């Protein structure tokens, strides 16, 4: 598993992605983090598909930083 700390005060691109004034990590950015993490966990494997992925409003940051944990299994 890989844990990544995302803090809106450090990740300035979140200033351009807000809903109702709250920073939000878009679904496409979350998917990129997931895919890069899985590739780091399994460097000699290929990712064939992503299933059951649903973050309709992105990941909101109402209270500052969040720890995102990505785990993968075959």
């Amino acid at each position: 598993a890989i844990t990544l700390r995302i803090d809106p005060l450090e990740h300035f691109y979140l200033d351009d992605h807000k809903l109702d004034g709250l920073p939000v990590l878009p679904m496409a950015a979350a998917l990129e983090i997931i895919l890069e993490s899985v590739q780091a966990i399994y460097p000699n494997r290929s990712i064939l598909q992503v299933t059951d992925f649903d973050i309709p409003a992105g990941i909101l940051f109402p209270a500052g930083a969040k720890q995102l944990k990505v785990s993968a299994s075959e």
Side-chain angles (χ1 to χ4, degrees):
I2 292 176
T3 301
L4 175 66
R5 182 177 184 272
I6 298 181
D7 187 339
L9 297 176
E10 296 173 5
H11 293 83
F12 301 113
Y13 66 91
L14 292 175
D15 283 338
D16 295 329
H17 298 89
K18 291 186 176 183
L19 291 175
D20 295 328
L22 295 175
V24 59
L25 183 69
M27 188 167 117
L31 181 58
E32 183 177 352
I33 290 169
I34 292 166
L35 294 176
E36 288 180 8
S37 297
V38 171
Q39 203 63 64
I41 294 169
Y42 298 103
N44 298 320
R45 305 292 300 264
S46 296
I47 299 169
L48 300 178
Q49 67 180 351
V50 176
T51 60
D52 299 324
F53 183 71
D54 185 22
I55 307 174
I59 299 171
L60 294 171
F61 292 80
K66 284 191 175 187
Q67 299 283 340
L68 301 181
K69 182 177 179 181
V70 178
S71 59
S73 64
E74 297 181 34

